[in-house]
Amino acid sequence: MTAIDDNPAPEKRLGSAKRGYSGKIHKVAADGVNSSLSALELESRLLELGFVEGARVEVLHEGIVGGDPIAVRIDNVTVAMRRREAMAVIVV
Amino acid sequence: MHLALVGTPNSGKTSLFNALTGSRQKVANYPGVTVERKEGFFVTPLGRQASLVDLPGTYSLRGRSPDEEITRDFVLGRAAGEAPPDLVLCVADSTNLRLTIRLLLELKQTGRSLMLVLNMFDIATRRGVSVDIARLSEMLGVPVVTSIAVRKAGIADLLRKTDEIAMKPQSSARENSWKVLSVAELRATQREADRIIAATVSLPARPDNWTARIDAVVLHPVAGLAILALILFVMFQAVFAWAQPLMNLLSDAFSGLGQFVHDTLPAGLLQSFLQNGVISGVGSVIVFLPQIIIIFLFILLLEDFGYMARAAFLMDRIMGGAGLHGRAFIPLLSSFACAIPGIMATRVIDNRRDRLTTILIAPLMTCSARIPVYTLIISAFIPDDQVWGWVNLRGLVMFGLYAAGITSALGVSFLIKFFMWRDYAPAPFMLELPDYKLPRLKSIALGVYTRAKMFLQRAGTTIFSMMVLIWFLASFPQPPAGTAEPAINYSLAAIIGHALAPLFAPVGFNWQIVVALVPGMAAREVAVAALGTVYAIEGGKEAADQIGQVLATKWSLATALSLLAWYIFAPQCASTLAVIRRETGGTKWMVLTFSYMFALAYAASLLTYNIAVTLGAG
């Protein structure tokens, strides 16, 4: 989590976005994200699901327990994921 | 010529496979792994024989799971014992091209002959998506065809192009330059894919709203769970109520056949072997065919409609508490009917560890074969009283047995994660939620047919040999002539029963119970008939009441409760064990399942018996 704390300006991450949020991907950076996957693997998987810089994202649905997992619309694909992994997606 | 189908999950690969090959399919496993290998055959318009392998869905060639490794190795021509494909058909959902075009760009580096198939093109057209096919083909440098997998005419173009490619002199001498893409290269190929799509595909101003509308209800935190519960309720009703008449019919047919053999053949070994070994043994498993068909019908319908991924979404956190994957939900649910389809259905879980956990705990779900045993003992020992004024005591005990099964399954899953795979963090839940689609009935019928065939083949081979073994144990050596005692009392089963009796004395089982447990290995409910045999009660199922009366006079309440506790956990189902061995690709997991369930059963019975005796029920 240090990578997040070290940032001077807090960045908006998809993992903490509320339902209804809509925006654009600024960066996909899995370093320091608390996932069971290595940063490299998580980043690769996100890229393979279409999470690339510049793509439009929207949080469509939330789960019942702690608003987790979330369903994210990315271009015209919907992907279900845990908030924890969505932390690797920095949005604007 | 050899063809291979590659595509992302939900690209409609399987329906295209079914459209091309029809019922000419062969389902097997790849050697050494538990990945399903589906191969089909068809003839092209010019009469060329073609074989087609449906490779596991993947987003890239990285091979992050055993399934995806198969896809990679097969395409690269490295898979052991497989001919390298002459042509790779890369299948795309036409409404959603981004991920497939990226995959195709990666596939190009392998040097294989490629063709891009824009599947479900009718749906895309209806939604206002238009594709400049010639331009797309030119920019990608591979032939592009459209297809509508549900219609016969929808694949004509694909077949024609296949012939054209086959006739061209083999230019596939291109070198394989594929290597694992770095994240930078992944980004670059996705950008390249997006650039090609921007130049060739025009997306509708308004996207399809149906999926969004359905999801607004189906994925709603409250309404969604209510709908899930309703679907499950209907599914359970179907499995238990609709299947019952058919199961009775099958069961009557098998006992009629057995009776026919009994009446036709002279009394002796052959008669006993055919009636008790072959017909009643195999029959006791085939009786579950209607339930298996109904379960798979539901599973395939829900999967095809696109609901399965939603169920996983809704259940993910709830299952996650016990260390289970959201996708484990439906397989575990199916296990209430029978663990065999449940274990077969775990194939939807792509992570191997999550899948193994699910397979290990699936037999703890109270399957319908336990019901005859539970009913027999409950009606013989539990009074038909009301508690708290309105709850039937027998119903309450039955509910308790189900609840104990579920609770222990969750507990075991938690322990498995904690002790066996503590160092491996669980696979993250990342799943595409596909757009809803009307289920393709033909495709579903084929799927159900394939599963039913697999089940029957197994009943005809592994299960059959188990039944023969158990019949042998229960029949040899034969009793001396003129004895009044039942023949089973002289058999190997009785010898084993007597030998094991001291082991089971602490849990309150007498030797008759232990003897009945041996043929009960065939299938749990066979133990009921075996108890009847041991206590020398004549007659088939109608005698169940009678068996109950006899048991009520011979057993203490503590023994009965102990046997109930035993059956919650008992690893007593040779067919389930055989399926576990097959699905996990080794004996290790079968032995592990047997051992842990045996240990749990013994501990539960020991505890139940001693508490009951202490409370004065001995």
Side-chain angles (χ1 to χ4, degrees), chain A residues 28 36 41 48 68 78 80 82, chain B residues 62 187 316 425-426 431 433:
Chain A
V28 179
S36 58
E41 178 65 25
E48 283 165 13
D68 202 20
T78 311
R82 294 252 179 99
Chain B
R62 273 192 308 131
R187 277 194 175 83
D316 176 60
L431 189 65
L433 300 178

Side-chain angles (χ1 to χ4, degrees), chain B residues 195-448:
Chain B
R195 191 181 64 82
I196 294 173
I197 290 168
T200 56
V201 180
S202 69
L203 289 166
R206 265 166 47 109
D208 171 64
N209 272 330
W210 274 108
T211 296
R213 274 186 222 158
I214 299 174
D215 272 346
V217 185
V218 163
L219 293 183
H220 186 272
V222 181
L225 284 174
I227 290 171
L228 180 62
L230 185 73
I231 291 175
L232 301 184
F233 178 77
V234 173
M235 191 165 153
F236 255 70
Q237 278 297 309
V239 166
F240 287 105
W242 305 354
Q244 206 55 55
L246 280 169
M247 291 175 76
N248 290 344
L249 209 67
L250 278 173
S251 149
D252 289 348
F254 276 105
S255 37
L257 189 64
Q259 194 58 46
F260 173 76
V261 168
H262 182 89
D263 296 343
T264 322
L265 292 176
L269 266 187
L270 182 66
Q271 182 212 51
S272 155
F273 174 70
L274 286 179
Q275 188 190 1
N276 302 327
V278 179
I279 296 171
S280 78
V282 173
S284 69
V285 180
I286 291 184
V287 162
F288 291 102
L289 185 64
Q291 285 194 335
I292 287 183
I293 289 178
I294 290 179
I295 285 178
F296 275 111
L297 188 65
F298 269 90
I299 291 180
L300 292 168
L301 270 174
L302 292 175
E303 181 86 62
D304 223 37
F305 180 56
Y307 185 76
M308 234 32 155
R310 270 83 183 177
F313 177 86
L314 290 168
M315 293 307 292
D316 176 60
R317 277 301 287 266
I318 299 164
M319 308 278 294
L324 286 166
H325 195 267
R327 290 216 140 192
F329 181 63
I330 298 286
L332 289 179
L333 194 80
S334 313
S335 304
F336 279 107
C338 175
I340 295 170
I343 290 166
M344 281 156 72
T346 59
R347 292 185 174 183
V348 297
I349 305 167
D350 36 52
N351 180 282
R352 180 171 160 82
R353 288 190 196 95
D354 290 330
R355 187 171 161 217
L356 281 172
T357 310
T358 314
I359 290 178
L360 285 179
I361 64 167
L364 288 177
M365 298 290 156
T366 304
C367 68
S368 54
R370 285 175 173 105
I371 296 173
V373 182
Y374 286 172
T375 329
L376 172 74
I377 299 172
I378 288 176
S379 54
F381 289 92
I382 308 293
D384 197 4
D385 290 344
Q386 303 289 313
V387 284
W388 307 310
W390 56 278
V391 179
N392 179 283
L393 186 60
R394 287 178 171 176
L396 188 68
V397 172
M398 196 68 157
F399 174 80
L401 293 168
Y402 270 84
I406 298 168
T407 319
S408 55
L410 296 181
V412 169
S413 151
F414 187 79
L415 291 178
I416 290 173
K417 286 272 155 135
F418 189 76
F419 284 109
M420 288 167 62
W421 296 323
R422 196 183 342 191
D423 299 336
Y424 302 100
F429 177 75
M430 279 168 102
L431 189 65
E432 204 182 320
L433 300 178
D435 283 354
Y436 289 105
K437 274 188 279 296
L438 273 183
R440 325 243 145 148
L441 291 181
K442 200 178 150 196
S443 195
I444 290 187
L446 262 173
V448 170

Side-chain angles (χ1 to χ4, degrees), chain B residues 25 72 136 161 185 245 262 306 312 325 363 397 460 544 550 603 607:
Chain B
Q25 301 183 2
R72 180 194 62 202
L136 180 62
K161 267 281 193 339
E185 287 164 326
H262 182 89
H325 195 267
V397 172
V550 174
L607 207 64

